[in-house]
Structure formats: structure tokens, C-alpha cells
Amino acid sequence: MSGAAGCRGGGGERGPRWRRPWKLLALGLLSASSVLAAAPGAGAMSKEEKRRLGNQVLEMFDHAYSNYMDHAYPADELMPLTCRGRVRGQEPSRGDVDDALGKFSLTLIDTLDTLVVLNKTKEFEEAVKKVIKDVNLDNDIVVSVFETNIRVLGGLLGGHSVAIMLKDKGEYMQWYNGELLHMAKELGYKLLPAFNTTSGLPYPRVNLKFGVRHPEARTGTETDTCTACAGTLILEFAALSRFTGTSIFEEYARKALDFIWEKRQRSSNLVGVTINIHTGDWVRKDSGVGAGIDSYYEYLLKAYVLLGDDSFLERFNTHYDAIMKYISQPPLLLDVHIHKPMLNARTWMDSLLAFFPGLQVLKGDIRPAIETHEMLYQVIKKHNFLPEAFTTDFRVHWAQHPLRPEFAESTYFLYKATGDPYYLEVGKTLIENLNKYARVPCGFAAMKDVRTGSHEDRMDSFFLAEMFKYLYLLFADKEDMIFDIEDYIFTTEAHLLPLWLSTTNQTISKKNTTTEYTELDDSNFDWTCPNTQILFPNDPMFAQSIREPLKNVVDKSCPRSISRAEESLGTGPKPPLRARDFMASNPEHLEILKKMGVSLIHLKDGRVQLVQHAVQAASSLDAEDGLRFMQEMIELSSQQQKEQQLPPRAVQIVSHPFFGRVVLTAGPAQFGMDLSKHKSGTRGFVATIKPYNGCSEITNPEAVKEKIALMQRGQCMFAEKARNIQKAGAIGGIVIDDNEGSSSDTAPLFQMAGDGKNTDDITIPMLFLFNKEGNIILDAIREYEAVEVLLSDKAKDRATIFKGKTIPNYIIDSNLEMENMDQKLSENDSHKQNSEEASSASQDVGAVSEEPEEGESSDVSDLDSLPPAQADTDSVSTSDQDSSIPGPGEAGAPEPACTQGDEQPQEQQTETESDSKVNWDNKVQPMESILADWNEDIEAFEMMEKDEL
């Protein structure tokens, strides 16, 4: 390992205090050359293939960056579906997500040091000049302290770090005189008013112009912040102090970290997700390594590396012990209650925890890093991307994927630690999936639903700041870099801070007075400075042997999280009853419920209700078992209700210029063709029917025959509409909501019910689109006379869609220029049009059942599904209006918890798509009225959005 001369080995012996602790880990990377050869059969990737993939990453970056600069700058972000910039206040609010936007050209600042990592020094020089000339930080706008720190302050400091490096080399940036650092200092002072609290924890938001307490600030009334929000400041603030010699920034960041450390739960050494900034009380008492906490742990370890303060390492190791004791349940990482760490707080994981294997590499704990990373990779192979949240049996919990980089980050660190070419293949998969499923003509679009492949008009700044940086570094050799990356440490936003800051302007005492320890605890130092011979003990099959049992974990097994109480008791008593085994008619089960403080009530309508009174339990352990039972029962009841619903369907526009890139999430019908049983779907050109409501005989059958009919919702039953268009010769139907502005993003999944009669006579597929999604098709018809769509259960790969057609080369061949495609279309496609791409996507994210708060005296679970009565969920509307069954919180029924041989994504035999830049100079008026941004206002999801969303 480079720079590890002063480090003790992995054997655990106590060495002297390190005077230059950055030498401990440098970037936390073990030299790949020092690791034993990869396992036989892993297949070392050739230099040519690595170079090809590295060049592909560069091309992808160019596609995203140039589209931002051409279509969005100076706006904060690019909206890749509508090819325009996202300006806060000019687009519909997305809630907390918009707190990252401050009218300061966010994406450009966030991307500065990425340009240098990718050897784009000329572009970097131009970008720095633009930032200096155009960016204004004195805006009357309320922003997130956390997001502004990691993205903007971090981006300016990272840009400054590489600017002075280039200047020292003598070729570029000779004119540079610290302008980015001056802007960083200005921004740092604008963030300081947020720290005006007695605790030292910052307010979550600040007004860039007026601060917090000013009458015009429109902030300062908040009481709560997430742990990561307050604990992810030290790297940027300390670097600002070290660069400028102004100590106040580092002092404030340290004070916030000290306060969080003092407020940890002392018996478990865990911290909660949300804390009151005035009192220090934990508002949310669940603890994990994902959203709301993640980068707090990351910054403790990295603060030690950068600043050389032993207390940060001491704190990290103390927390890490607790994480591995309570939260780590390999390969899972599950949230627990800080006061009852043996009790799981939820049965699902969020995607932000994907950073943790990378942090474990920095720690030197390789085995669990390999295990968790492999589990995440198997989930990705099933869904193409990592869903925002997924259950312990790997079903989708929240289906979005905003192109997060955390998994790529961990892949890079694991490759650097092991040298195993397996991780190069993982990176190759990530590149292919981005090109196949997220690439659009104006950039890369976030996935609205990984199950259907639908898009969201969103490309966050972290995609450019982090994703391409980690992917390029994964495939780059040392000779490909113009500087030594191991001279820098990555922030949580992957910005580069030089390690020499550890010895510069040390105005802060290294030892924090708040720590209760006077000497380091040796037991917490295991693996702090790993010895590769211990990590890989003369066994070239080491990493492969860890991964192998997890290869089929997603599809062929149903892992159940083992209760920590079960584990700790060993051969002693086990939790007496699980919800899935409960029978209301079993006297023994009723006796067990009574012991757990749970009583059963038979309601007059035949339903069964369960109520828990913890004080009536036989013991505290029984009360804990009762709480777990109630949580399981609530989830089981919810799942049974969801399984009675149909999953969402997809409407994919396949004609020019969309070519399958635009995917709209549609509601299913409980009658007609079941698209899930017809994998090829139904494909055809669309036609608007007359009358538009479809409630009487179709008067333009010649226009509808062999087409997919478009019609308006209302005035009659859905089944009646279907019969009328089927009689006119239509091969399918799409019903468009007549409620202006409706979107599946803000409404439950809509399912079209029958009319109470036998609907076996309806054989064509019918789908429902909300108003905004439907208008995308209607607008396309107005601009292009012939619009062809594919109705299916989920989005199809474009190589499959165009198989056997005369235009597939453009769709498949990543190297074919746009001009060649246009020429082929003019020769082979009689329906050639010119257009901008427009897309809308939707996914129904449901409210998550609230977990019982600690200290509540009772829990109630109203279980329609329990004996002796079965809830009637097949009610039918008898009105003369459209009938519908709104979907549950999840956007469709979950996948079976355990199925053998679940369908895997079909192996692609084609090259990954890499479209050349589309010339949109002649595009028509953007469709602002159609493509509003999606309002993600679900309360549980907002908690996640406070951390890097």
C-alpha cells in the first residue's frame, strides 16, 4: 500500500501514535498489485478491453456534460427528457429535493474536479472561468445546508485543489489566483448562520442572502435535522479552514460532531436518524447505515485520515463495533432501534447503504464488504438498477433509481483493494445498463420505476460529479492519469481534497475535550491498517469463495433476517410465534399472544383485530416479541392486500424520433388481454376515436382499424369503451384521464375495473394513462402524424423491439453517427419526422406503515385477511361512470417472496447503445405544459431525500 510506511500491520500489535495519519490509508486503497492473483476462471480483463471501457465512460460523460452545457447552463440541473434547465421557482416544486438548487449553476460546480480526473483539462479551465464569471452566491433562496456543503462548497474546494495542482505543473491554469477558494470562503460565511443554535447542530436550511433569523430568511423555524445532515461537514469545513487559515469553519463542524457523539445511545453506541437541533433528543430512534446517517460514519473515518485527530478514529471504531454487532446481518444491513438494538426497525433496505462496502474497504474489513456488495449486485442484475428501497427478500419497496453512484463507488474501492477482475465486469454491467436503459438524446434520465423502465425528467448533479469519476477510475491505469489520485481523499460527493492539508494551518487542538476516553481502546483497532496477507491468506479463491454462496440469493432463496434475540439466546428460548404462522383458531397461539401482551378481538363484521399492551406482557422480552409480532402482522396484512392488485404496465413510444426511449407507466385493466402473459406485447400506431369518450359506436372505424385507440375517460364504463373500439377493429386501447394535470406520480396506481358483467368477450389489451402522461402521446400526434407505441408488461430492450427491422443499426451500434441514422431513416422509413424527445414517467410510491414509537402503550392491527372472515376486495362499481380500483401504496403487486427460477433480464447479445449527440437546433416549442416535474411528497421518502437525494 502506497504511503503506509508508518502504519502498524494487521496483526493487532500496538504501535506509536501516527504523526502523519494520512499515511495510514492515503485513499484507503490497498495496492492492487500487492494482492494475490484473482481466482482462476475469473478471467483477467485485457488492457484493450479496459481501455475501450474507459473510453466509453469518457463518451458517456461528454454526452451528459455537453447536453447540460448546451441546454441547461446556467441552470442548476438538466432536465434530460425535455432538454431544458431546471430553474427553481419556474418548475413545480419537488419538495425537499429542490433544496439542493440555489441558482448557482450546481451541476457545473459539482463537476469541476471530475473534468480533471477525466483528463479534460481544457474543458476544466473553461468551466472555472464560467464559474468565476457567472455564478452568484448571494441569492435570496433557501437551500439545504447539507447539500450545499457537499455539492457546492465541496465542488469549489475540489476545483481549487486540482486548479493549484495543474498550475504547479506549469501548463494549465497559470492565470489562476485562488478565485474558487475566495468563492468557497464567501459561501462558508453564508452557511455559518445555520450554526446559531445552543447545541451547535446546524439548522437544516439557510437563506443564502438573509441567513436564518432575519425576517426575510423564511427559515429558522425547523427543530429537527438528520444525523448525516449535521455530521457531514467536517471535511469541507476543515479543508476551508486549512486552505484559508480561518479556523472558525473547522471549529463549528467539530462542535456539531462532538454534540452528536455525546448524544449517542450509550448502551448500544448507535445514533438515530433524526435529532432535535435544540435539545439533542432523538426524534427518530431507528439506526442503520443508509439514508439519514450514512455519511456521518464516512466522515468520522475520513476526518481522521485528513486531519490526524485520534478521537475521530476512536469514535468511528466504537460505532463500527456496534454496526457489526447489531445492524450487520450478512449480507444484509438492517435498521434497528437504538435503545433495543436486538429489534429490527424495518424489513427493507435503502439504496444509499450501497456506499458501506466501500467504507469497509477503507476500514480494512473486506469479507463483509464483499458479501454486501455481491448481494447488491444480484439485486441490480435482476432489476438493471438498484431500487431506492428493497425488502429483505429482495422485492422492490420503492422503485425509483435517480442514477445513484454509491454502488459504483464501492465497486471501485473493492477492485482497488482486491485487484479482482470480477469487479471490472461489474463496472462493465453498470455501463451497459446506463446506456441501454437511462440514456436519452439529451443526457441520462433517472428511472422512475425500475420494474417498467419508465423515466423521470431528472439528472442530478451527483451523477456527473461521482458516477463517471468512479467508473473512469475503475478502468484507468496510472499512466492514464495526469496526477496521482492517491494524494487525495474523496468527500462523500467524490470531491478531491489533498492529503497535505493534514499538516497545514493546524489551529485546532487534535484532542477533543468531549471524548470520555484518555487512551485509545486497542480492541477497536483490529483491521485499521490491514495486512493483505491476512486479508487474503494464501488463497487465490478467497473473494470468489465469499461471493459464490450469494450468486443465487435474490432468485433462488428466501433469506430471513435472524432475530438478534434469537441469535443471542443460542439454544435458549426462541421468539414463540411469527405472524406468518399465526392461526386465530389455535388455542396455543392465543395463549402465546396473551403472554406477549397481545389480545384478540372478534369484530361484528367477522374481522379480527389485534391489540398489544406492552405492560400486560409476561416479561420485557415477551413484550419485545409482541412488538415484533405486531409489526410483522401489519406488514403481512399490507402485503396480502397488495398481492390482490395488478402491477403497473408500460406504454413505450417506438416510432421516430423516440425509438423506445420514452416509457410511460400505465395502469392495468382487470379485463381484456393480460399483457404479463404476452411477453411480446401489442404494438401499433395510435389513433384518436370519434366520439372521443368511446361511449357509443365508433364513427371513424376506418381510422381505428388495426390501430391502438386513444379515448377520454368518463361518461361510461371502461368495459363499454373496450367493446366499442374492439368492434371497430382496434387492436388495443389507451384511456386518458380527463382530470387536467393529473399524474400517476401524485395519485395512486389506477386500475380499470369491469362493469360487473362477464368480460370474457373483451380480448384486446386496455391501459390507463393519467392526463400528463397521456398528453405526451397526444402532443406527439400533433407534431408527428404517425406515432407507434408498444403496450407491454414492462419496457422492452430496444434491440428486441427493432429486431428484423431496417433501422436497428442505430439502435444497437453505439458508434454510428446521428447523420448516418438520419440517412437510413430517409431511405427506409416513410414516416420520418423531426422531433425533440418528450417523456413522462410515473411510479406510485405508497405511504409506509409507521413503526410503533418506543414507549407507546399499545399497538393495533386491523387484519381483514385473518380468519374467520376474508375481506372482500372484488367490489364492483355499479354507477354509470368509469369504475376503478385504486392501487395500494406500492405501484403494483410485489413480486413473490420466494420463487424458483424467477425470470432474469434477458441476456443482451448486442453492443451497448451510445447515441451520438442529437441536433435539436430546429426543435419546436418545449412542452412545458405537458411535462411537469414529479412531486415526490411521500413523507417517508422525504426523510431519505434529506440525504443526497
Side-chain angles (χ1 to χ4, degrees), residues 491-602:
T491 69
T492 193
E493 191 78 2
H495 292 306
L496 302 180
L497 299 177
L499 291 167
W500 53 257
L501 287 174
S502 63
T503 58
T504 303
N505 291 326
Q506 297 184 51
T507 57
I508 308 295
S509 171
K510 280 191 174 183
K511 192 66 180 176
N512 287 308
T513 57
T514 54
T515 181
E516 65 194 50
Y517 302 102
T518 57
E519 190 65 24
L520 298 182
D521 181 358
D522 280 340
S523 66
N524 281 331
F525 275 78
D526 292 342
W527 304 113
T528 295
C529 184
N531 182 313
T532 57
Q533 297 303 313
I534 294 176
L535 293 176
F536 302 93
N538 300 315
D539 182 7
M541 299 287 288
F542 178 78
Q544 183 178 343
S545 66
I546 297 175
R547 289 192 300 263
E548 199 60 36
L550 301 169
K551 289 292 186 184
N552 300 313
V553 68
V554 171
D555 292 304
K556 294 187 178 179
S557 62
C558 282
R560 179 177 69 85
S561 169
I562 298 175
S563 161
R564 287 303 183 187
E566 290 177 315
E567 187 174 89
S568 64
L569 289 171
T571 57
K574 299 290 191 297
L577 186 62
R578 308 308 294 239
R580 61 178 177 272
D581 302 323
F582 173 66
M583 295 180 61
S585 57
N586 188 324
E588 183 181 352
H589 287 186
L590 297 179
E591 187 62 31
I592 293 173
L593 289 189
K594 183 178 179 181
K595 187 179 179 183
M596 295 190 297
V598 179
S599 57
L600 183 146
I601 302 172
H602 291 275

Side-chain angles (χ1 to χ4, degrees), residues 130 277 335 386 424 631 644 665 887 912 941:
K130 278 186 166 61
I277 61 176
D335 284 20
L386 195 62
L424 297 178
Q631 291 170 331
Q644 295 166 357
T665 298
T912 58
F941 197 45

Side-chain angles (χ1 to χ4, degrees), residues 289-300:
V289 297
I293 302 179
D294 51 358
S295 47
Y296 163 68
Y297 295 132
E298 178 185 3
Y299 270 38
L300 284 178

Side-chain angles (χ1 to χ4, degrees), residues 205-216:
R205 296 171 184 84
V206 67
N207 187 300
L208 289 176
K209 190 177 186 69
F210 297 110
V212 172
R213 299 291 180 86
H214 192 281
E216 298 180 64

Side-chain angles (χ1 to χ4, degrees), residues 236-250 505:
E236 292 83 2
F237 272 48
L240 182 57
S241 287
R242 302 291 175 101
F243 272 129
T244 63
T246 306
S247 63
I248 188 172
F249 304 108
E250 185 172 344
N505 291 326

Side-chain angles (χ1 to χ4, degrees), residues 97 147 151 291 294 350-354 380 385-389 400-409 430 434 446-447 458 460 462-463 466-467 936 941 944-949:
V97 180
E147 298 289 359
R151 300 202 206 187
D294 51 358
D350 64 72
S351 63
L352 285 168
L353 61 77
I380 288 173
F385 298 98
L386 195 62
E388 277 292 73
Q400 301 100 319
H401 173 74
L403 308 182
R404 291 199 184 280
E406 284 78 14
F407 181 78
E409 174 186 359
L430 298 182
L434 284 171
M447 306 306 295
R458 170 180 179 181
D460 289 85
F462 54 67
F463 181 61
E466 299 184 66
M467 181 68 82
E936 304 183 45
F941 197 45
M944 285 186 66
E945 289 167 345
K946 291 181 180 179
D947 190 46
E948 283 198 89
L949 195 64

